[in-house]
C-alpha cells in the first residue's frame, strides 16, 4: 500500500466513524428501536476512538513524510461538467485542520464519557447523544473541509445540534426561547457565510480552498482575489464568524446557551463551537491578508469583544455565565491575533483555551465544593476582585457594572432595532390580509382565529 | 416521436378515474380507503413503469401507443419528456402516501374518491404538452377543492373568486393563442395573460390569498395535494417559458421573489400551524419560478431540481403536520404544545422534513438551492442574495414551529397519541427519499440539467422567432441579419447545440443569439 493510499484510507476512516455513529443512533431512533444507554455510550466511545486513532496516524504519517498538505478526494457529490459546476467532497489534512481535528476528537470523547454518567437515566439521554452525534459529525466535516460548501455543511450541522441542545430541558420555556434565539443568530451567520461562499465561488471560479488560496498550503497561501473582492467577501465571513463565535454585537447568545446540560455547554460554548468562527477566519486568513481594512476591522472587533466580555464576565452571578464571558474574552483576543496577521499563535491559543475551558465547565457543577476545598487548604476565604477599585472611580465602576450586568444591552438592541420592526411590519401585513380576505369572503374568513390562544408570539420572552 | 412499450400514461389516468368511481360506491370509510390505496398504488406503479420505459428508450420525448386522442386531434395528447417523467411519478407518489397516511377517523372529511379524481386530472396535466390541453386541465383541476368546500359548508368565495380569475385568464390566454396546436407564434398579450394566470395559480402575491383561505377551510390533505405538486409551475414551463420575452419572465420572477421574501416573513408571525405551513410552502415554492428566469441552464436546472425536492419535502412536512393535527386539532403556535414526550418520532420527522423543505445541507433540497443561487448570482447577484435570505428566514420559521409544537410541558392526553403504522410508513418513505436524495443528489441533478437544456433549446427556438408578425419590429434582428434570416429560423428548423454561455446570452438578451 502506498503512502497516498494509506492517507486516503485513514482520512476516510476519520470522516466515516462519526458518520457511522450518526447513522446508528439516528437510524435506531427513526426505527423506534433506540439503543440502551450503555450501547449508545459504547458506540460513541468506539467511533470517537476510531476517528482519533486514524487522525493521530495521519499526523504521524505527515510528520514522517514531511507532508504539509494531504487532500482526501471523495469525488464529486454533484456535478454538471458542461457548466463547470462541481460540488467537491474534499477533506484536507494540513497544519491547521489536523491539530484542531485531534482537539475536537479528544474533547468530544472526554465529554461523551462525562455525559454518560452525568445524564444517566435522564429521559433525554438518547436525545442528547443523537444531537451530540450530529455535532461531532458536523465538527469533523467543518474542520477537514477542503471546500467552502463542505465547510458550510459541517457549519450548519453544528448550529442545528447546538440550538437543539440549548433547548434540551424543553419542558421549560426559557431554554427553548434561548435555543430559538441562538438559532436566529446562527441563521444570520449562515446566510452571511453562504453569501460569502457564493461571492468567492463567483469571483475565484472555485469553491476549493486550495484553488481559492492559490499556491501554497496553509498558512502560506495567497488568495486569488483583488483587494476589493477580499474586502467584500471577508466582511461577510467576518459577520459569519461573529455570529458563530458570539463576537459583538451577537455576544448575547453565549451566556444564554448555558441553559443546556453541562456537557454540551462545555464542548460547545467552552471549547469547540465557539471557536468555529475563529477557525473559519484562520482558514480564510489569506483573504484577510489582502485587505488592510479587513484586517483592522477584525482586530477592532476582537478587541471590542474581549473588553466587553471581560467587563460583563466580572458581574455574572452564575458560574456558567461567568465562564461563558471568560471564553468570549479569549475568543475576542484570538480574533484580534488573527486580524494582526498571526497564524500559529491563535491556533495554539485556541487549543489551550478550549482544553482549559472544557475542564472548568465540566467542574462547574461542583464549584462550591472546589471552593470550599481551596478555602480549607489556604485557611482563609477566597477574596473578590479588588484591583479595579484601585484604578477606577466609584461612578465609573458603577457605569461599568451596569454595562456588564445588562450585557451591554446588545440583545435588547437587536430585539428593538431588528426583530421588533420586522415582526411589526409583518403583523401589519397579516392584519391587512385578514381585512382583505374578510372583505372577499363577506364574513370572518379565518377559522384558525377561534383556535389560537390570545398570547402573541414571543410574549414569554 | 418514440413510443412507450405500453400505454402507461393512459392507464394511470384511467385507473384513477375508475378508482374514483369505484371508491364513490364504497359503503364504509375503511372500504373507501382500501380502494383508494389500491387505485393510487396501481397508478403509482404505472407512472413509475412509464418513467422506466422512457429512460430505457433513451428518447427526449415519448408518447403512449394506441392513444385514441391522437387520431382525433392529429397529435398525441399524452406524452412524456425529460421534464414531465419524474413529475408524474412524484405526483402519483404524493397522492398514494397522502391516502396512506389518512387515518380512518379522517376518512369522513377527506374524500378518497375526490382525491382520485384530482389525481387523474393532475396526472393528465403532467402528461400534456399542448398549451391548450394544459390550460384546460389546470382549469378542471380547480373543481375538486371547490366541491369539498361546498360539501363541508365552508366559506368559498375567496377561493371561487381566485379560481374564477385563474380560469378566466386561462381561457383568454388560450383564446389569444389562436387555435389549438398553433402555439409557435403566440401574441405577446396571450403570453402575458397566461403568465398572469400562472401567477394566480402559483399564489404569487397579491394573488396568494386563495391559498391561505384554502388551508383555512379545506381538509389539510386536500389543500396539500392541490398545491404540493406545483401544477402552476408546470403551466409556466409549458405555456409561458418557451415563448415569453425576457421582460415577462423577469416580471414573473421579480413577483415570485417578492412573494418568497414576503411569505418567509409572514411564516414567522403566524399563530396557527396550517397558516404557517401555507406561507412556508408559498415562500419556498416561489423560488422555483425565480429560478426559471435566471435563464442560465444551471439556474433553470436548480429550479427544476428544487421543484422536485420542494414537492417531496414539503409534502413530507405537510403530512407530518397533518399527523400532529389529527392528534390535537388545529395547532396553535402561540403556545408550547409539549408533544415531544408522546411522539418523539414525529418530532424527528418534523425536523427532518421541515429542514429539508428549506434546503438544509445533507437533505434533498440543498443542492437545488445551491444551484439556484449559483445561477441567480450569474444573472443578478441581488437575486442570489435574496434567495439566501429567504432560506435563512424559512429555516428560522421551521425551528420556531418545531419548538412551539413539540416542546413545553408534556401535553396531557388520556389516549395513545403514538404514530400509527400507516402514518409512519408514509412519512418514513418520504424521509428516506429526502435523505437519500441529499446523500446522492447526482441522479436528480443530471436529469434536471438535461431537462433544463431541453427547455433552453425550446425557448431558444421560440424566442429567436419574432413573437408575432405584428410585433416583429419590436424585437431586434439576430446578428444584425435581415428579417429573412429570422424567418428562416421561425420554421422550427433544427437548432444547433451551442455552448452554455451562448445559451445564456440568448436568453438574457431578448432573443439575440
Amino acid at each position: 500500500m502506498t503512502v497516498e493510499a494509506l492517507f486516503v484510507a485513514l482520512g476516510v476512516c476519520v470522516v466515516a466513524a462519526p458518520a457511522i455513529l450518526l447513522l446508528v443512533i439516528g437510524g435506531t431512533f427513526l426505527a423506534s428501536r433506540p439503543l440502551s444507554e450503555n450501547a449508545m455510550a459504547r458506540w460513541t466511545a468506539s467511533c470517537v476512538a476510531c476517528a482519533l486513532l486514524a487522525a493521530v496516524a495521519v499526523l504521524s504519517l505527515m510528520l514522517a513524510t514531511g507532508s504539509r498538505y494531504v487532500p482526501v478526494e471523495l469525488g464529486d457529490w454533484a456535478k454538471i461538467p458542461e457548466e463547470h459546476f462541481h460540488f467537491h467532497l474534499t477533506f484536507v489534512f494540513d497544519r491547521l485542520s489536523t491539530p484542531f481535528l485531534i482537539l475536537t476528537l479528544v474533547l468530544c470523547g472526554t465529554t461523551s464519557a462525562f455525559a454518560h454518567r452525568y445524564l444517566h437515566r435522564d429521559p433525554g439521554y438518547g436525545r442528547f447523544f443523537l444531537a451530540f452525534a450530529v455535532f461531532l459529525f458536523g465538527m469533523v466535516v467543518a474542520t477537514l473541509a477542503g471546500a467552502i460548501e463542505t465547510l458550510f455543511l459541517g457549519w450548519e450541522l453544528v448550529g442545528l445540534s447546538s440550538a437543539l441542545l440549548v433547548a434540551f430541558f424543553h419542558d421549560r420555556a426559557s431554554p427553548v426561547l434561548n435555543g430559538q434565539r441562538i438559532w436566529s443568530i446562527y441563521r444570520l451567520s449562515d446566510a452571511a457565510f453562504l453569501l460569502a461562499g457564493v461571492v468567492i465561488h463567483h469571483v475565484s471560479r472555485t469553491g476549493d480552498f486550495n484553488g481559492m488560496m492559490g499556491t501554497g498550503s496553509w498558512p502560506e497561501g495567497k488568495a486569488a482575489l483583488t483587494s476589493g473582492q477580499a474586502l467584500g467577501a471577508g466582511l461577510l465571513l467576518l459577520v459569519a464568524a461573529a455570529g458563530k463565535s458570539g463576537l459583538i454585537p451577537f455576544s448575547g447568545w453565549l451566556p444564554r446557551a448555558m441553559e443546556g446540560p453541562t456537557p454540551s455547554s462545555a464542548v460547545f460554548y467552552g471549547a469547540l463551537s465557539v471557536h468555529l468562527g475563529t477557525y473559519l477566519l484562520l482558514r480564510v486568513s489569506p483573504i484577510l491578508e489582502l485587505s488592510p481594512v479587513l484586517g483592522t476591522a477584525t482586530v477592532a472587533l476582537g478587541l471590542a469583544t474581549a473588553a466587553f466580555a471581560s467587563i460583563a464576565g466580572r458581574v455574572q452571578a452564575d458560574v456558567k455565565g461567568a465562564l461563558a464571558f471568560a471564553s468570549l474574552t479569549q475568543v475576542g483576543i484570538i480574533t484580534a491575533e488573527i486580524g494582526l496577521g498571526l497564524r500559529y499563535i491563535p491556533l495554539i491559543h485556541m487549543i489551550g483555551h478550549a482544553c482549559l475551558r472544557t475542564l472548568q465547565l465540566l467542574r462547574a457543577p461542583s464549584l462550591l465544593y472546589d471552593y470550599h476545598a481551596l478555602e480549607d487548604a489556604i485557611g482563609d476565604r477566597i477574596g473578590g476582585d479588588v484591583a479595579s477599585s484601585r484604578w477606577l472611580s466609584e461612578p465609573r465602576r458603577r457605569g461599568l457594572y451596569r454595562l456588564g450586568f445588562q450585557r451591554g444591552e446588545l440583545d435588547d438592541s437587536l430585539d428593538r432595532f431588528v426583530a421588533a420592526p420586522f415582526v411589526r411590519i409583518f403583523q401589519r401585513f397579516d392584519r391587512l390580509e385578514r381585512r382583505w380576505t374578510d372583505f372577499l369572503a363577506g364574513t370572518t374568513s379565518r377559522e384558525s382565529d377561534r383556535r389560537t390562544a390570545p398570547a402573541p408570539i414571543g410574549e414569554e420572552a | 416521436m418514440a413510443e412507450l412499450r405500453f400505454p402507461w400514461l393512459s392507464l394511470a389516468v384511467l385507473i384513477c378515474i375508475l378508482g374514483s368511481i369505484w371508491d364513490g360506491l364504497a359503503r364504509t370509510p375503511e372500504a373507501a380507503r382500501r380502494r383508494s390505496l389500491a387505485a393510487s398504488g396501481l397508478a403509482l406503479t404505472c407512472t413509475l413503469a412509464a418513467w422506466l420505459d422512457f429512460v430505457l428508450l433513451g428518447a427526449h420525448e415519448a408518447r403512449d401507443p394506441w392513444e385514441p386522442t391522437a387520431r382525433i386531434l392529429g397529435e398525441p395528447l399524452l406524452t412524456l419528456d425529460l421534464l414531465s417523467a419524474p413529475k408524474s411519478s412524484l405526483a402519483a407518489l404524493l397522492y398514494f402516501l397522502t391516502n396512506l397516511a389518512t387515518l380512518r377517523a379522517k376518512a369522513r372529511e377527506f374524500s378518497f374518491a375526490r382525491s382520485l379524481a384530482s389525481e387523474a386530472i393532475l396526472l393528465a396535466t403532467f402528461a400534456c404538452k399542448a398549451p391548450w390541453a394544459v390550460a384546460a386541465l389546470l382549469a378542471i383541476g380547480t373543481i375538486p377543492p371547490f366541491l369539498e368546500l361546498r360539501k363541508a359548508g365552508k366559506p368559498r368565495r375567496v377561493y371561487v373568486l381566485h379560481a374564477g380569475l385563474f380560469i378566466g385568464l386561462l381561457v383568454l390566454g388560450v383564446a389569444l393563442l389562436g387555435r389549438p396546436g398553433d402555439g409557435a407564434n403566440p401574441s405577446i398579450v396571450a403570453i402575458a395573460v397566461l403568465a398572469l394566470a400562472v401567477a394566480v395559480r402559483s399564489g404569487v402575491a397579491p394573488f396568494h390569498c386563495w391559498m391561505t383561505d384554502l388551508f383555512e377551510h379545506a381538509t389539510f390533505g386536500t389543500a396539500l395535494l392541490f398545491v404540493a405538486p406545483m401544477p402552476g409551475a408546470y403551466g409556466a414551463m409549458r405555456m409561458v417559458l418557451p415563448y415569453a420575452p425576457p421582460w415577462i419572465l423577469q416580471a414573473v420572477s421579480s413577483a415570485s421573489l417578492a412573494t418568497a421574501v414576503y411569505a418567509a416573513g409572514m411564516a414567522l408571525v403566524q399563530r396557527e400551524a396550517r397558516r404557517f405551513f401555507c406561507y412556508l410552502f408559498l415562500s419556498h415554492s416561489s423560488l422555483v419560478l425565480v429560478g426559471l428566469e435566471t435563464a442560465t441552464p444551471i439556474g433553470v436546472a436548480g429550479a427544476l431540481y428544487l421543484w422536485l425536492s420542494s414537492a417531496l419535502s414539503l409534502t413530507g412536512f405537510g403530512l407530518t403536520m397533518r399527523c400532529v393535527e389529527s392528534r390535537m386539532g388545529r395547532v396553535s403556535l402561540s403556545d408550547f404544545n409539549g408533544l415531544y414526550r408522546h411522539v418523539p418520532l414525529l418530532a424527528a420527522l418534523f425536523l427532518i422534513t421541515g429542514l429539508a423543505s428549506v434546503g438544509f445541507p445533507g437533505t434533498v433540497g440543498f443542492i437545488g438551492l445551491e444551484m439556484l443561487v449559483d445561477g441567480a448570482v450569474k444573472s443578478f447577484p441581488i437575486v442570489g442574495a435574496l434567495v439566501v435570505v429567504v432560506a435563512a428566514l424559512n429555516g428560522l420559521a421551521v425551528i420556531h414551529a418545531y419548538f412551539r409544537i413539540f416542546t413545553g410541558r408534556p401535553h396531557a392526553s388520556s389516549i395513545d397519541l403514538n404514530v400509527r403504522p400507516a402514518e409512519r410508513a408514509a412519512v418514513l418513505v418520504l424521509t428516506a427519499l429526502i435523505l437519500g436524495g441529499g446523500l446522492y443528489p447526482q441522479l436528480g441533478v443530471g436529469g434536471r440539467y438535461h431537462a433544463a437544456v431541453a427547455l433552453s433549446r425550446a425557448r431558444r427556438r421560440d424566442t429567436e422567432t419574432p413573437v408575432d408578425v405584428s410585433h416583429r419590429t419590436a424585437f431586434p434582428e439576430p446578428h444584425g441579419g435581415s428579417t429573412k434570416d429570422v424567418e428562416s429560423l421561425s420554421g422550427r428548423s433544427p437548432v444547433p447545440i451551442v455552448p452554455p454561455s451562448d445559451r445564456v446570452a440568448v436568453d438574457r438578451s431578448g432573443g439575440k443569439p
Side-chain angles (χ1 to χ4, degrees):
Chain A
M1 187 183 257
T2 61
V3 177
E4 284 75 21
L6 197 56
F7 269 129
V8 171
L10 290 168
V12 169
C13 189
V14 169
V15 181
I20 290 169
L21 178 67
L22 180 57
L23 205 66
V24 169
I25 298 182
T28 52
F29 186 82
L30 285 180
S32 298
R33 298 272 186 278
L35 298 171
S36 68
E37 285 191 6
N38 283 333
M40 222 176 279
R42 270 200 302 273
W43 269 102
T44 307
S46 309
C47 289
V48 171
C50 181
L52 181 60
L53 286 175
V56 171
V58 170
L59 178 65
S60 310
L61 266 179
M62 285 171 77
L63 292 172
T65 58
S67 304
R68 291 178 160 193
Y69 179 82
V70 180
V72 177
E73 293 273 358
L74 298 185
D76 287 317
W77 200 13
K79 62 175 176 182
I80 304 177
E82 299 90 333
E83 300 293 324
H84 308 291
F85 177 85
H86 296 271
F87 200 122
H88 284 303
L89 212 52
T90 313
F91 296 102
V92 169
F93 290 85
D94 61 8
R95 280 173 289 178
L96 174 63
S97 64
T98 313
F100 200 73
L101 172 72
I102 292 173
L103 171 79
T104 300
L105 293 168
V106 167
L107 293 183
C108 282
T110 311
T111 313
S112 67
F114 178 87
H116 174 51
R117 285 162 184 80
Y118 188 83
L119 292 171
H120 177 51
R121 291 198 172 183
D122 190 290
Y125 184 98
R127 192 156 41 92
F128 176 87
F129 273 88
L130 178 57
F132 192 78
V134 174
F135 171 74
L136 177 65
F137 182 61
M139 275 305 297
V140 169
V141 169
T143 305
L144 292 178
I148 205 150
E149 292 91 348
T150 320
L151 205 159
F152 183 70
L153 167 66
W155 179 275
E156 287 270 66
L157 291 176
V158 169
L160 176 66
S161 56
S162 184
L164 292 178
L165 279 176
V166 170
F168 180 78
F169 298 111
H170 58 200
D171 290 357
R172 290 185 289 121
S174 169
V176 175
L177 290 171
N178 285 332
Q180 204 170 307
R181 177 177 283 271
I182 287 163
W183 179 249
S184 312
I185 301 289
Y186 276 1
R187 287 309 284 177
L188 185 71
S189 123
D190 295 343
F193 189 4
L194 194 55
L195 279 176
V198 169
V199 169
I200 291 171
H201 214 134
H202 192 59
V203 295
S204 68
R205 300 268 168 211
T206 177
D208 290 6
F209 289 123
N210 194 25
M212 201 190 302
M213 302 309 165
T215 52
S217 55
W218 189 87
E220 278 109 25
K222 298 278 178 226
L225 304 175
T226 65
S227 177
Q229 290 168 343
L231 180 61
L235 283 176
L236 285 168
L237 287 168
L238 199 56
V239 172
K244 206 67 162 184
S245 288
L247 305 178
I248 282 177
F250 307 115
S251 309
W253 70 257
L254 195 57
R256 289 170 182 273
M258 297 297 166
E259 287 266 18
T262 296
S264 69
S265 302
V267 79
F268 280 54
Y269 314 111
L272 298 175
S273 185
V274 78
H275 286 122
L276 205 52
T278 49
Y279 179 83
L280 171 70
L281 291 180
L282 273 179
R283 177 53 80 196
V284 299
S285 52
I287 292 180
L288 302 185
E289 282 168 8
L290 287 178
S291 168
V293 178
L294 188 59
T296 310
T298 310
V299 174
L301 185 66
L303 290 180
T305 303
F308 162 72
S310 174
I311 293 164
R314 283 164 203 278
V315 297
Q316 294 305 306
D318 65 306
V319 62
K320 283 172 82 176
L323 285 173
F325 279 110
S327 281
L328 199 53
T329 308
Q330 296 305 315
V331 171
I333 294 170
I334 292 167
T335 307
E337 289 165 358
I338 295 168
L340 287 170
L342 302 171
R343 296 293 171 260
Y344 289 109
I345 287 177
L347 179 61
I348 295 165
H349 194 161
M350 264 163 49
I351 293 170
H353 174 238
C355 291
L356 170 72
R357 207 61 74 191
T358 304
L359 176 68
Q360 286 182 329
L361 276 161
L362 290 181
R363 292 296 300 171
S366 51
L367 182 80
L368 289 177
Y369 176 84
D370 288 353
Y371 257 51
H372 291 153
L374 274 171
E375 285 175 350
D376 285 347
I378 61 177
D380 196 3
R381 292 186 69 82
I382 298 172
D385 178 20
V386 292
S388 57
S389 61
R390 277 185 254 137
W391 298 98
L392 293 169
S393 62
E394 187 63 20
R396 284 196 179 168
R397 278 175 59 202
R398 278 192 194 161
L400 287 176
Y401 182 84
R402 197 179 302 120
L403 175 79
F405 189 72
Q406 293 172 343
R407 294 173 180 173
E409 297 195 359
L410 292 176
D411 276 0
D412 287 344
S413 306
L414 287 176
D415 285 348
R416 196 179 309 159
F417 299 116
V418 181
F422 179 89
V423 170
R424 263 202 306 275
I425 287 169
F426 282 98
Q427 279 177 340
R428 177 165 291 187
F429 281 132
D430 197 42
R431 282 195 295 274
L432 284 173
E433 271 197 21
R434 181 198 304 268
R435 269 189 231 158
W436 174 239
T437 49
D438 284 355
F439 168 72
L440 289 180
T443 177
T444 310
S445 62
R446 291 199 184 177
E447 210 171 294
S448 54
D449 280 353
R450 280 170 259 154
R451 309 282 182 151
T452 50
I457 286 170
E459 192 176 83
E460 300 88 336
Chain B
M1 189 189 294
E3 269 191 4
L4 296 172
R5 292 174 181 84
F6 198 73
W8 300 113
L9 301 173
S10 309
L11 202 60
V13 176
L14 196 64
I15 285 170
C16 291
I17 293 170
L18 294 177
S20 173
I21 297 166
W22 187 39
D23 214 303
L25 299 173
R27 291 187 179 174
T28 62
E30 184 54 33
R33 184 172 178 272
R34 273 201 307 271
R35 289 177 187 186
S36 81
L37 281 179
S40 56
L42 276 173
L44 173 62
T45 312
C46 286
T47 53
L48 285 173
W51 189 8
L52 185 68
D53 198 355
F54 175 72
V55 171
L56 292 176
L57 280 174
H60 286 288
E61 201 174 343
R63 64 173 196 159
D64 256 4
W66 326 315
E67 201 199 319
T69 52
R71 287 181 193 162
I72 304 164
L73 302 171
E75 59 179 343
L77 194 62
L78 301 182
T79 58
L80 214 55
D81 63 5
L82 289 165
L83 178 69
S84 60
K87 281 302 293 178
S88 301
S89 301
L90 180 71
L93 178 72
L94 300 187
Y95 271 87
F96 175 70
L97 293 179
T98 306
N99 289 341
L100 181 65
T102 304
L103 299 177
R104 262 178 303 179
K106 286 277 169 191
R108 291 186 195 282
E109 298 165 26
F110 177 79
S111 164
F112 289 109
R114 232 179 347 254
S115 159
L116 283 171
S118 304
E119 184 176 356
I121 297 165
L122 188 68
L123 290 181
T125 310
F126 284 158
C128 280
K129 277 186 77 177
W132 66 269
V134 173
L137 286 164
L138 283 175
I140 296 168
T142 58
I143 296 172
F146 168 75
L147 293 177
E148 183 183 300
L149 290 174
R150 197 179 64 171
K151 193 183 173 200
K154 300 281 180 155
R156 47 188 181 276
R157 266 173 57 181
V158 177
Y159 179 78
V160 168
L161 284 170
H162 284 87
L165 176 65
F166 170 60
I167 294 170
L169 288 169
L170 279 180
V171 170
L172 183 63
V174 172
L176 289 170
L177 273 180
R179 63 184 172 78
D182 188 23
N185 215 13
S187 84
I188 202 156
V189 180
I191 299 165
V193 169
L194 287 173
L196 200 57
V198 163
V200 174
R201 180 64 176 86
S202 303
V204 170
F207 305 112
H208 64 286
C209 290
W210 68 265
M211 209 185 268
T212 51
D213 195 69
L214 187 68
F215 271 91
E216 284 276 359
H217 301 304
T219 58
F220 205 139
T222 300
L224 183 65
L225 289 174
F226 188 62
V227 298
M230 297 183 218
Y234 187 77
M237 286 181 207
R238 292 303 190 207
M239 300 187 296
V240 180
L241 186 70
Y243 318 107
W247 69 265
I248 287 186
L249 287 185
Q250 275 168 15
V252 172
S253 170
S254 305
S256 302
L257 188 59
T259 305
V261 176
Y262 173 75
M266 290 295 277
L268 273 168
V269 298
Q270 294 308 308
R271 299 180 190 181
E272 197 266 332
R274 272 199 193 192
R275 292 186 69 83
F276 151 76
F277 176 79
C278 178
Y279 281 111
L280 186 77
F281 176 86
L282 204 49
S283 176
H284 211 61
S285 61
S286 298
L287 295 181
V288 175
L289 289 179
V290 174
L292 292 182
E293 197 281 323
T294 60
T296 57
I298 194 164
V300 177
L304 295 180
Y305 191 82
L306 200 66
W307 186 9
L308 294 181
S309 67
S310 300
L312 207 59
S313 45
L314 283 163
T315 304
F317 192 48
L319 287 182
T320 316
M321 200 165 270
R322 190 172 175 237
C323 292
V324 172
E325 208 181 77
S326 65
R327 277 153 183 75
M328 51 190 302
R330 289 288 180 95
V331 185
S332 162
L333 295 182
S334 299
D335 311 310
F336 292 102
N337 292 287
L339 262 191
Y340 185 90
R341 196 66 66 81
H342 295 287
V343 278
L345 176 66
L346 211 53
L349 295 174
F350 185 95
L351 209 51
I352 293 172
T353 51
L355 289 173
S357 64
V358 298
F360 195 78
T363 63
V364 69
F366 179 58
I367 290 289
L369 200 66
E370 182 85 6
M371 286 162 66
L372 179 64
V373 171
D374 205 72
V377 165
K378 281 176 186 163
S379 310
F380 301 101
I382 187 71
V383 175
L386 283 173
V387 171
V388 170
V389 170
V390 168
L393 289 176
N394 285 340
L396 213 57
V398 167
I399 294 292
H400 170 76
Y402 169 82
F403 281 147
R404 294 286 159 164
I405 294 172
F406 292 101
T407 67
R409 278 199 201 94
H411 176 73
S413 172
S414 55
I415 55 164
D416 178 22
L417 295 179
N418 218 343
V419 186
R420 304 290 183 269
E423 292 175 313
R424 182 199 302 256
V427 185
L428 276 178
V429 166
L430 284 170
T431 306
L433 288 172
I434 285 165
L435 294 179
L439 292 175
Y440 186 63
Q442 183 56 33
L443 196 65
V445 168
R448 293 306 80 201
Y449 177 70
H450 292 132
V453 170
L455 270 177
S456 295
R457 278 188 197 148
R459 179 164 164 67
R460 176 184 165 82
R461 209 158 47 198
D462 290 309
T463 51
E464 270 181 349
T465 310
V467 168
D468 188 75
V469 178
S470 57
H471 294 83
R472 185 170 290 172
T473 51
F475 287 85
E477 291 168 3
H479 282 310
S482 64
T483 309
K484 193 178 174 185
D485 295 334
V486 179
E487 283 170 344
S488 69
L489 288 169
S490 66
R492 291 194 173 254
S493 54
V495 178
I497 295 175
V498 292
S501 53
D502 286 3
R503 282 200 296 272
V504 175
V506 169
D507 292 340
R508 303 271 311 113
S509 61
K512 273 190 208 170

